[in-house]
Amino acid sequence: EMLLVTLITVLSIFLIVAITFRSLAVPAMLVMTVMSAVYIDVTVSGLNGGRLLYLAYLIMQSILMGATIDYGILFTNNYREARATECKIESIRRAYQSSTHTILTSGMIMTLAPFAMSLMVDDKMIEMILRCIAAGALAALLLIIFVLPALLAAFDKFVVRRRPKSK
């Protein structure tokens, strides 16, 4: 059941992003980046001796895929706009300038608010869900800030739509 839910989630988001960007590479990179954050969260939880309940996993995955993929969309969109006139390195720099404040603000809210709430609740299930959301949001934030730009540059020819040269 978990595999089916994950596949439906990934395919739904992939399809929406593919239609929006008119690309297969962009949604592949964005979904891979955010799902990596989900798997990092699950792995870290397991390595720390914790266990992740199915309900906590579903809620965490849904929230992270729905919310943190927007950070990647924002960065990618700014990168693609800059690539219309700039080289890869300058486009990454401009995407950072245009996106970082918004990504960090929203990402820190997604990280700190659930973590703070987890300190205040007595119910272990709710505490686990909130901590998973916080850790997953932090992982997604770090991956989008540090890994996504490298992916965009490495796969630039698949990310940037080239306009045909006019005669």
Side-chain angles (χ1 to χ4, degrees), residues 29-78:
M29 282 187 277
L30 295 179
V31 168
M32 181 183 66
T33 301
V34 176
M35 280 306 293
S36 294
V38 170
Y39 294 136
I40 288 169
D41 190 7
V42 170
T43 302
V44 169
S45 176
L47 291 175
N48 287 332
R51 58 189 182 108
L52 186 61
L53 300 176
Y54 180 63
L55 178 63
Y57 174 80
L58 285 179
I59 292 170
M60 181 257 309
Q61 178 179 298
S62 299
I63 290 174
L64 290 179
M65 289 300 288
T68 62
I69 202 152
D70 285 343
Y71 312 155
I73 290 170
L74 175 65
F75 192 93
T76 302
N77 195 49
N78 286 328

Side-chain angles (χ1 to χ4, degrees), residues 5-164:
V5 170
T6 300
L7 286 173
I8 290 170
T9 302
V10 165
L11 290 173
S12 299
I13 291 172
F14 183 92
L15 183 63
I16 293 166
V17 176
I19 291 168
T20 302
F21 279 95
R22 295 184 182 143
S23 165
L24 295 178
V26 171
M29 282 187 277
L30 295 179
V31 168
M32 181 183 66
T33 301
V34 176
M35 280 306 293
S36 294
V38 170
Y39 294 136
I40 288 169
D41 190 7
V42 170
T43 302
V44 169
S45 176
L47 291 175
N48 287 332
R51 58 189 182 108
L52 186 61
L53 300 176
Y54 180 63
L55 178 63
Y57 174 80
L58 285 179
I59 292 170
M60 181 257 309
Q61 178 179 298
S62 299
I63 290 174
L64 290 179
M65 289 300 288
T68 62
I69 202 152
D70 285 343
Y71 312 155
I73 290 170
L74 175 65
F75 192 93
T76 302
N77 195 49
N78 286 328
Y79 174 79
R80 286 176 59 156
E81 284 179 10
R83 276 299 276 136
T85 58
E86 304 288 342
C87 68
K88 287 185 214 179
I89 300 294
E90 181 61 24
S91 296
I92 289 172
R93 189 180 72 71
R94 298 228 349 232
Y96 270 121
Q97 287 175 338
S98 303
S99 310
T100 304
H101 185 268
T102 302
I103 292 170
L104 287 176
T105 301
S106 183
M108 293 312 295
I109 290 169
M110 281 287 298
T111 301
L112 295 176
F115 180 74
M117 287 187 279
S118 76
L119 299 174
M120 304 298 171
V121 297
D122 293 328
D123 186 290
K124 291 296 178 191
M125 169 82 78
I126 295 172
E127 178 186 351
M128 178 188 298
I129 292 169
L130 291 169
R131 291 215 177 163
C132 284
I133 292 169
L138 179 61
L141 178 66
L142 293 173
L143 289 173
I144 288 165
I145 292 291
F146 295 112
V147 175
L148 181 61
L151 290 173
L152 292 172
F155 297 102
D156 180 77
K157 69 180 180 179
F158 302 108
V159 172
V160 178
R161 287 183 54 132
R162 306 282 188 237
R163 293 182 183 90

